[in-house]
Amino acid sequence: MIITDKLAQLQTDALAEIAGVDDVKALNDVRVKLLGKKGPLTEVLRGMKDLTPEERPQVGEYANKVRDVLTDAIAKRQTILEAAALEAQLGQETLDVTLPGRAVKQGQPHVLQQIIEALEDQFLGMGYKIAEGPEVEEDRYNFEMMNLPKDHPARDMQDTFYITPEILMRTQTSPVQAREMEKHDFSKGPLKMISPGRVYRRDTDDATHSHQFHQVEGLVIDKHITMGDLKGTLLAVARQLFGEDHDIRLRPSYFPFTEPSVEVDVSWGPVDENTAPEDIDWIEVLGAGMVHPNVLEMAGIDSSVYGGFAFGLGPDRFAMLKYGVEDIRNFYLNDVRFLKQFNQKG
């Protein structure tokens, strides 16, 4: 049959052409030319309309075998060409193993994260748990359950970023405490927690203020909790961060969510039993107090049975005091020259 002769000649010529291709791109062009819709194989098969019904199946089967042979030849040639190309590339990209190694610079936690992690380690060792919550918070948890109703004047001090009238960027991590108090089962033991995280307020950024900063708030709820428990806890925190030769003092203050409330100062400079009170310099570091009964009741806790203490501190403020940083904005500029001063490995 003339048509099968054409197919046989096409196979012979195509195999020779495939064998002579020397790069992958040219091989792809040959594949399209031979097996494409406008290729010679398709052109030969158009002559099948002139065949008898008995001849067509035989020619069709032969044509499929030719196509399979060419497809297989192209695939094998492509494997050979790709291997050759890789070998040539490896030959050009030799590695001199005698060159000295290059030290990889190792990063470290941000100085604020170092302060937070030191606090977390200390409180975990004291039996506290670490609790986190959403930064986009409900007004109910951020203010109302902290004894700050909608008309409370103390809200003005925490003017913040509202998304809707009832949804805002949290101004403190206290909402985490409210959520934990709601779900805690006191039949299984006291609630002892700290809640670290970012908070937001509409402050004008300057050397000591930022619209975004960090807080670590602590909460203990149990029976028979006293102000002495609070002072002992805060003294341990101060000495952990600033040194064993530091002391603290409590001054009366006001916070809506605690009663009584105190400001906590830490001594600046060594203090021992021979240091006269008038010779001690004090720096305010945090606020604290005994949890207000209203806060307990709003969380479903019987204030006649349970009590507790709460405190809140700023890792940013602690880092400024600990390392003598004068501008809080340095912590957020991502200047490596500044941050590498606080290398944990010295």
Side-chain angles (χ1 to χ4, degrees):
M1 298 179 189
I2 296 178
I3 194 167
T4 53
D5 294 341
K6 289 182 178 180
L7 288 171
Q9 187 61 46
L10 172 62
Q11 175 176 313
T12 301
D13 295 342
L15 289 175
E17 185 175 5
I18 292 170
V21 176
D22 57 3
D23 68 74
V24 175
K25 182 179 182 304
L27 181 65
N28 187 61
D29 293 339
V30 170
R31 180 186 63 78
V32 173
K33 183 182 75 170
L34 294 176
L35 304 179
K37 293 182 179 180
K38 297 181 179 180
L41 183 59
T42 303
E43 186 67 27
V44 171
L45 292 178
R46 287 175 181 167
M48 289 180 64
K49 65 180 185 297
D50 299 326
L51 300 177
T52 65
E54 293 78 15
E55 294 173 327
R56 287 174 188 171
Q58 300 175 17
V59 172
E61 182 179 0
Y62 190 85
N64 287 333
K65 288 181 179 180
V66 171
R67 180 182 295 276
D68 291 343
V69 168
L70 298 183
T71 299
D72 183 61
I74 291 172
K76 290 180 179 179
R77 186 61 179 169
Q78 182 172 345
T79 300
I80 294 172
L81 293 176
E82 288 176 346
L86 178 60
E87 189 68 25
Q89 182 180 0
L90 292 175
Q92 295 173 355
E93 297 179 358
T94 55
L95 177 66
D96 186 353
V97 296
T98 65
L99 289 174
R102 297 178 182 177
V104 178
K105 293 183 178 180
Q106 184 173 0
Q108 65 176 22
H110 191 280
V111 56
L112 298 180
Q113 188 61 33
Q114 293 178 32
I115 296 289
I116 292 172
E117 289 178 357
L119 289 167
E120 289 179 344
D121 288 344
Q122 182 180 13
F123 279 103
L124 285 171
M126 297 165 63
Y128 286 61
K129 74 173 185 176
I130 312 298
E132 297 182 348
E135 294 180 15
V136 179
E137 187 54 275
E138 298 179 34
D139 182 278
R140 169 172 168 255
Y141 286 106
N142 193 80
F143 287 128
E144 294 182 36
M145 290 191 67
M146 291 294 107
N147 204 30
L148 284 158
K150 293 188 181 298
D151 58 350
H152 200 291
R155 284 197 181 207
D156 294 340
M157 296 188 300
Q158 298 189 25
D159 193 15
T160 187
F161 302 97
Y162 280 87
I163 298 173
T164 72
E166 296 299 325
I167 302 295
L168 65 151
M169 302 299 292
R170 67 181 180 187
T171 63
Q172 52 202 0
T173 56
S174 302
V176 183
Q177 299 178 353
R179 292 176 179 273
E180 290 294 323
M181 283 190 288
E182 275 189 330
K183 66 183 183 182
H184 185 74
D185 183 358
F186 285 93
S187 67
K188 297 181 180 179
L191 173 60
K192 299 173 65 178
M193 59 166 285
I194 62 169
S195 50
R198 284 187 296 267
V199 298
Y200 306 84
R201 298 183 187 178
R202 289 180 57 194
D203 280 336
T204 300
D205 288 14
D206 58 26
T208 57
H209 297 84
S210 175
H211 66 281
Q212 171 195 292
F213 55 99
H214 296 79
Q215 272 192 346
V216 175
E217 295 195 37
L219 176 71
V220 173
I221 304 292
D222 197 8
K223 299 176 181 178
H224 314 303
I225 299 295
T226 68
M227 184 70 79
D229 299 316
L230 170 61
K231 184 175 182 180
T233 300
L234 298 180
L235 179 60
V237 171
R239 289 181 173 174
Q240 168 71 18
L241 287 178
F242 300 116
E244 290 295 327
D245 55 355
H246 288 265
D247 203 352
I248 65 169
R249 72 176 182 184
L250 309 183
R251 291 180 291 106
S253 186
Y254 167 75
F255 301 110
F257 29 82
T258 52
E259 180 60 38
S261 303
V262 293
E263 298 284 359
V264 182
D265 303 332
V266 64
S267 62
W268 211 242
V271 176
D272 56 35
E273 63 275 7
N274 300 318
T275 306
E278 62 271 16
D279 295 332
I280 301 177
D281 294 325
W282 298 96
I283 297 180
E284 179 185 324
V285 292
L286 58 91
M290 305 304 291
V291 179
H292 198 292
N294 290 351
V295 173
L296 296 173
E297 295 291 343
M298 282 187 285
I301 301 172
D302 187 347
S303 61
S304 66
V305 177
Y306 292 95
F309 64 76
F311 59 87
L313 58 89
D316 312 58
R317 170 74 168 159
F318 271 39
M320 292 177 73
L321 293 174
K322 183 177 177 69
Y323 297 113
V325 177
E326 296 182 351
D327 194 325
I328 193 175
R329 291 170 291 192
N330 288 325
F331 294 130
Y332 300 104
L333 293 178
N334 293 327
D335 188 333
V336 176
R337 295 169 299 178
F338 170 78
L339 295 175
K340 71 180 181 180
Q341 299 177 82
F342 311 104
N343 191 331
Q344 290 178 313
K345 298 181 180 180

